[in-house]
Amino acid sequence: METQQRLTWLFTRPQLSQFNVDGKVFIVTGAAQGLGLVLAEGLAEAGGKVYCFDTCKHPDAHWLECQERIRSKHNSTIEYVQQDVTDTAHLQKSIQIVAGANSGLDGVIAAAAIQQVTPALEYTAADVDKMMRINFTGAFMTATCAAREMMRYKRQGSICFIASMSGLIANKDMHTPVYNAGKAALIQLARSLAMEWSSINEDGTGGIRVNCISPGNIKTAMLEDVFSKDKIRMWSESNMLGRLAEPEEFKSAALYLMSEASSFTTGSNLVIDGGYTAW
């Protein structure tokens, strides 16, 4: 679709229809559980066909319940694909298979990540390498593998990195220097890839928007298992809303960035932290 035709199409249809992703194909990494699965569910609820990439061989009962709920309530689908984002050769093949089966790919959310809470003086080189291979290199390779397929099929779409407010600040009383640095790198990576891929080329390739979502502290079982109640209370009280986020509160942001509603949004970092970094 030529640029002017595309703009006319965007501006003349009902505004809320821009959030509709019926028939669009997405990949979400790190989507066997947690925030990744919640974001995948949100895209499927809006009509998308979503492939959940993660490392475990088979999804657990919670994931299967989510799949059934999406099928029965929304007549949509999520599919599971065993894929480690650090296995870059196979990652390219897995994304090619998804794109080939659907004659294209419309968007990717790179949510796969790990956390390690360790004072800086106690890190080993192996610790740093493992975290960066998953949190940064894995996200970078996910984006480039996806972009190749989007360009192959001339799909103008969206790529979103799940960064963190930890890429903007040093979290009070949370010893996560490598995690923080990796998330800061993702924010800059989004800007750099947006510069390369956002404009539409003469051959019809390009038009790939690249952005980040930077969540604040999210209420998860992992957070409650790792940190004391006193620390969790302190972090809750450190933002303007006085509480932690629920994973479901990020669904609409992901849908915005994956849909045509964000057609003029690229190279941006959407900070959703309850006001934590605003004061």
Side-chain angles (χ1 to χ4, degrees):
M1 187 181 296
E2 296 294 332
T3 300
Q4 190 57 50
Q5 291 176 315
R6 179 180 175 81
L7 291 174
T8 300
W9 173 69
L10 283 173
F11 298 147
T12 57
R13 63 179 179 154
Q15 190 68 24
L16 288 180
S17 70
Q18 293 182 18
F19 290 91
N20 188 310
V21 293
D22 279 345
K24 292 194 173 185
V25 179
F26 303 103
I27 291 171
V28 182
T29 68
Q33 59 186 345
L35 182 61
L37 177 55
V38 169
L39 300 184
E41 183 177 12
L43 293 177
E45 288 171 350
K49 184 175 183 180
V50 187
Y51 291 83
C52 298
F53 283 25
D54 215 314
T55 56
C56 51
K57 188 172 184 180
H58 301 291
D60 64 14
H62 178 66
W63 190 95
L64 294 172
E65 289 171 6
C66 180
Q67 183 186 48
E68 175 56 25
R69 182 169 61 250
I70 290 168
R71 186 199 63 77
S72 60
K73 290 187 176 181
H74 303 283
N75 194 30
S76 191
T77 62
I78 58 172
E79 302 293 337
Y80 186 78
V81 178
Q82 183 187 12
Q83 178 60 58
D84 184 339
V85 295
T86 66
D87 182 359
T88 54
H90 194 260
L91 177 65
Q92 179 73 69
K93 185 64 175 178
S94 293
I95 293 176
Q96 284 178 343
I97 290 171
V98 168
N102 296 280
S103 300
L105 177 65
D106 297 289
V108 171
I109 298 177
I114 60 172
Q115 175 65 286
Q116 180 173 332
V117 183
T118 306
L121 294 179
E122 297 178 17
Y123 272 89
T124 67
D127 292 333
V128 176
D129 181 63
K130 179 181 178 180
M131 287 198 70
M132 293 302 286
R133 280 192 301 112
I134 296 171
N135 294 6
F136 179 78
T137 307
F140 177 83
M141 297 308 298
T142 297
T144 55
C145 290
R148 288 189 189 97
E149 297 309 305
M150 295 168 79
M151 292 183 184
R152 184 197 307 273
Y153 291 94
K154 297 184 179 179
R155 292 287 189 96
Q156 298 170 22
S158 178
I159 293 172
C160 174
F161 297 119
I162 301 303
S164 173
M165 70 174 186
S166 301
L168 303 170
I169 60 170
N171 302 64
K172 185 178 181 180
D173 207 19
M174 183 185 286
H175 301 144
T176 55
V178 181
Y179 180 85
N180 296 2
K183 292 303 184 180
L186 281 185
I187 295 168
Q188 179 58 23
L189 179 62
R191 299 186 187 109
S192 300
L193 297 183
M195 181 274 296
E196 289 193 39
W197 299 342
S198 293
S199 52
I200 302 172
N201 303 312
E202 290 184 1
D203 63 359
T205 61
I208 301 171
R209 294 173 290 105
V210 187
N211 296 284
C212 285
I213 294 175
S214 283
N217 292 315
I218 304 173
K219 186 178 180 181
T220 63
M222 182 185 72
L223 188 79
E224 293 173 342
D225 287 343
V226 173
F227 297 104
S228 69
K229 290 182 179 180
D230 287 341
K231 283 192 177 182
I232 292 173
R233 186 182 304 110
M234 176 189 67
W235 294 325
S236 298
E237 294 170 352
S238 294
N239 66 54
M240 295 177 182
L241 293 179
R243 63 175 176 85
L244 302 184
E246 298 290 341
E248 290 74 15
E249 292 183 286
F250 298 89
K251 280 184 178 180
S252 58
L255 178 59
Y256 167 71
L257 290 178
M258 290 292 108
S259 71
E260 293 290 351
S262 59
S263 59
F264 199 61
T265 304
T266 196
S268 294
N269 179 33
L270 185 55
V271 181
I272 306 174
D273 63 359
Y276 193 105
T277 61
W279 61 2

